[in-house]
Amino acid sequence: MPDGGSAVAEGSREAGGLLRRHGWKFLLLFAGVMLPMWGFMELADEVHESEVIPFDEPILRFAQEAARDGYTRVFLFFSQIGYARGVVPVDIGLVLVLLAMKRWRDGLFAAVATGGSALLNIATKHLFARDRPSLWESIAPEATYSFPSGHAMGSMTLAAVLILLAWPTRARWWVIAAMVVFVPMVGLSRVYLGVHYPSDILAGWAAASAWVVGVYLVMYHRPGWGAGARDRQKPAG
């Protein structure tokens, strides 16, 4: 029977090996789930208590003062493709393409991540029932509740799904580069148009990030974690 010192040394070696093998997964869990969840809960608590979030109105006022015809055309475009006319059709197309390629797990992941995000957004909007900003009359008014932003959640959900699916491939950097532009522009467009508070956008990004990473970790978790990512690189059949 090993003495106390040997047991501690053996435990330290096992812990070190575990961190070396799966350390990036723990970081992914923390960065992808815990931090966004914390951020969302902080914002949600302020909205629930009907507290004024200090940065909301100043940023909206700045956006109003910065309005120009050229900016308006750009932000209207990103607002339009940021949900019903862009993100939603791409979500559906992505799922169908993955299923047609017989990438069943990936197709199910994309379907659960995108569909679940949409349902989560609808439920959360009705739970908090936050009114839209009313600092000026928007040229693209919305009738639904404000918190969290559906455009922010939808665009971030699609971005996270695409990045996670592309991560084992060389295409990941192209996907990341495209999404680093697309997601912020969609979020900024909603503030520029005066239909969302900045806190709505941040909450949408946080909720989407936590949801997608959580779904990914559940769906690709198996003995010898990480096998799911390798399986996706194998051709079907």
Side-chain angles (χ1 to χ4, degrees):
M1 182 176 180
D3 58 26
S6 299
V8 170
E10 183 178 353
S12 298
R13 285 194 298 271
E14 290 182 0
L18 181 66
L19 289 174
R20 283 193 297 274
R21 292 192 303 274
H22 302 301
W24 70 270
K25 296 161 190 168
F26 296 138
L27 289 175
L28 177 65
L29 177 65
F30 184 77
V33 178
M34 300 303 178
L35 286 179
M37 188 177 296
W38 171 81
F40 177 82
M41 293 305 297
E42 286 292 314
L43 292 169
D45 183 61
E46 296 295 314
V47 173
H48 178 69
E49 297 296 331
S50 299
E51 297 288 341
V52 175
I53 298 178
F55 57 78
D56 271 342
E57 185 169 335
I59 293 176
L60 280 168
R61 293 291 186 191
F62 177 80
Q64 183 184 26
E65 293 170 4
R68 304 288 187 278
D69 287 343
Y71 292 165
T72 300
R73 286 192 293 270
V74 170
F75 284 123
L76 273 173
F77 169 75
F78 276 99
S79 180
Q80 289 168 354
I81 67 170
Y83 201 68
R85 296 187 182 181
V87 167
V88 173
V90 172
D91 287 343
I92 296 171
L94 176 63
V95 173
L96 294 177
V97 168
L98 290 171
L99 294 178
M101 295 172 64
K102 297 183 179 180
R103 293 172 58 174
W104 310 118
R105 184 185 295 264
D106 291 340
L108 183 59
F109 163 63
V112 172
T114 57
S117 176
L119 293 175
L120 182 63
N121 180 258
I122 293 170
T124 308
K125 280 181 182 292
H126 284 84
L127 176 64
F128 289 96
R130 187 187 201 185
D131 291 332
R132 298 271 177 174
S134 57
L135 298 181
W136 69 89
E137 187 175 349
S138 174
I139 61 173
E142 298 281 359
T144 58
Y145 292 122
S146 188
F147 183 90
S149 165
H151 280 65
M153 279 192 71
S155 58
M156 179 61 82
T157 297
L158 177 61
V161 168
L162 291 174
I163 290 170
L164 288 170
L165 290 175
W167 192 256
T169 74
R170 294 178 181 178
R172 64 180 176 271
W173 301 116
W174 294 103
V175 175
I176 290 171
M179 293 301 105
V180 162
V181 175
F182 177 66
V183 172
M185 287 300 291
V186 171
L188 288 172
S189 75
R190 305 303 284 167
V191 175
Y192 178 88
L193 294 172
V195 293
H196 274 297
Y197 295 102
S199 55
D200 298 333
I201 306 301
L202 295 176
W205 287 344
S209 300
W211 169 253
V212 175
V213 174
V215 172
Y216 181 85
L217 293 175
V218 169
M219 293 200 62
Y220 293 99
H221 176 76
R222 60 174 63 181
W225 216 17
R230 290 192 295 274
D231 287 348
R232 290 201 303 278
Q233 301 179 68
K234 298 176 181 179

